[in-house]
């Protein structure tokens, strides 16, 4: 029934936090056993926050427009929306005392009513209760009061109520809170989602700042009852449409915020002078925040490439300090480029952190076809092949590198994944390429019978004598073969 709306649902976020379907079911049981009315953070009921966000954003756009431009004649639809919004925000305050809390370090949601209440009172209660002040009801009361003649006193009361409704702009805190909650819960390997919401929240805040500033540009002359030297009279906007007035207000605001001085910086009164100064300062702050956030996003967009550049910078300092010749420095730089491809990663760390099953699958994809070309590995059981895969090490050689030398004791054999090498003996030369292997003297721990030189950049897998012996120790029947 309706209780199912309060229980956690099986989705990507809940699975990330709890780890399995069984754990999510246990969380449902834990909530039911508590026997109290509480909304779980992962329940369908919690998605009403999305509705709150939409209503909040409409409020933050509409309220300044109503106060500045509509002159008390906002119409039945907008008054109904105001009453609905106030009701919704009051309900939101009540529901937040029953809304479970998910913390980053906790293994389960906090569903204890006392803890929820204390946490809410300490954090978002004050901004929420201010934002929920029912201005819509007060406004409706005065609008519907049928007076034979609306005196100046009544008009002053209405103006006071309209100015008081600016309190509802405190609902911007609900918007900030929404983005904080989304970012906290969306860390379930959803970096793209977090980045999207960060960019969205940034542009929404910039849009609201420009919108509010545009409304203030008109609102202040209106409070002064449009003096003769105000910009509204100068631009002949007294009898213009709301769209025309709003467009001019936003135009003035943007001209001041980005300091273009495009013919709209005149400030004949002290009040307008202060508005211009505040606009310019807020514009500078907006520009600073935008640049700072854009820089941070770009810097964090590709951390692997950033780490690679950092490593290369340290490498260059080291090579300069050691006074290595330019040719060698170039070969070292080329090696790093061939080995890492411009993105830094720690292969050993990756292989150590993944499970043994995943490690086997990774290596099976990377080099199983190579092992199956070697006669000693053909027609062998899967366990032996998997054990051998775990012992292989990835290596990169550059064009011209001598990989092994003739008459030198062999301690490794090599499998070519990509590239081309030249095998040279006293009597002949032979080229080897993808899928070939050399250095089989490791099987007998003898000496290399040929010198092998890389003709191109080569990506190889090597198998050391010690690792080979470790594997053969577990498979004595293969050792006999």
């Amino acid at each position: 029934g309706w209780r199912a709306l309060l229980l956690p649902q099986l989705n990507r976020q809940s699975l990330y936090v709890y780890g399995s379907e069984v754990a999510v079911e246990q969380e449902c049981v834990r909530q039911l056993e508590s026997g109290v009315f509480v909304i779980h953070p992962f329940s369908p009921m919690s998605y009403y926050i999305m509705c709150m966000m939409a209503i909040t954003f409409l409020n933050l756009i509409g309220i300044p427009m109503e106060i500045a431009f509509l002159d008390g004649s906002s119409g039945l639809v907008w008054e109904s929306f105001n009453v609905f919004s106030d009701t919704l925000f009051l309900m939101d305050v009540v529901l937040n005392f029953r809304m479970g809390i998910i913390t980053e370090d906790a293994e389960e949601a906090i569903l204890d009513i006392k803890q929820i209440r204390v946490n809410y009172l300490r954090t978002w209660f004050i901004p929420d209760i201010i934002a929920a002040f029912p201005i819509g009801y007060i406004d409706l009361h005065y609008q519907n009061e049928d007076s034979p003649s609306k005196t100046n006193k009544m008009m002053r009361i209405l103006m006071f109520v309209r100015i008081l409704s600016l309190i509802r702009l405190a609902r911007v805190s609900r918007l900030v809170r929404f983005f904080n909650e989304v970012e906290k819960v969306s860390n379930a390997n959803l970096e793209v989602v977090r980045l999207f919401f960060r960019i969205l929240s940034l542009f929404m805040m910039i849009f609201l700042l420009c919108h509010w500033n545009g409304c203030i540009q008109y609102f202040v002359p209106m409070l002064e009852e449009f003096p003769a030297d105000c910009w509204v009279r100068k631009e002949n906007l007294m009898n213009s449409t709301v769209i025309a007035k709003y467009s001019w207000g936003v135009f003035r605001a943007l001209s001041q915020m980005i300091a273009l001085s495009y013919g709209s910086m005149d400030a004949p009164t002290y009040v307008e002078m202060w508005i211009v100064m505040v606009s310019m300062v807020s514009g500078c702050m907006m520009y600073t925040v935008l640049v700072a956030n854009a820089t941070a996003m770009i810097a964090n967009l590709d951390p692997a490439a950033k780490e690679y550049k950092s490593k290369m910078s340290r490498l260059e300092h080291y090579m300069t300090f050691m006074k290595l010749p330019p040719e060698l420095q170039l070969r070292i730089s080329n090696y790093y480029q061939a080995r890492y491809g411009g993105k830094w990663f720690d292969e050993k760390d990756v292989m150590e952190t993944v499970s043994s099953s995943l490690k086997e699958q990774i290596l099976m994809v990377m080099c199983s076809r190579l092992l199956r070309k070697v006669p000693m590995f053909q027609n062998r059981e899967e366990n032996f092949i998997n054990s051998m895969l775990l012992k292989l090490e990835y290596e990169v050689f550059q064009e011209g590198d001598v990989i092994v030398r003739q008459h030198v004791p062999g301690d490794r054999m090599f499998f070519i994944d990509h590239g081309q090498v030249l095998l040279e003996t006293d009597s002949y030369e032979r080229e080897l390429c993808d899928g070939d292997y050399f250095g089989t003297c490791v099987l007998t721990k003898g000496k290399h019978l040929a010198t092998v030189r890389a003709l191109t950049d080569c990506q190889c897998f090597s198998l050391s004598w010690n690792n080979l012996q470790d594997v053969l120790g577990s498979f004595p029947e293969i050792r006999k073969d």
Side-chain angles (χ1 to χ4, degrees), residues 404-407 423-426 428 447-452:
V404 298
R405 296 184 184 276
Q406 191 176 8
H407 306 309
L423 189 143
E424 301 174 300
T425 67
D426 296 332
Y428 69 94
K447 292 182 179 181
H448 287 294
L449 302 176
T451 296
V452 179

Side-chain angles (χ1 to χ4, degrees), residues 205-220:
M205 292 304 173
I206 290 172
F207 168 76
L208 287 175
L209 182 62
C210 297
H211 172 69
W212 290 0
N213 199 342
C215 293
I216 288 169
Q217 296 286 332
Y218 185 86
F219 180 60
V220 172

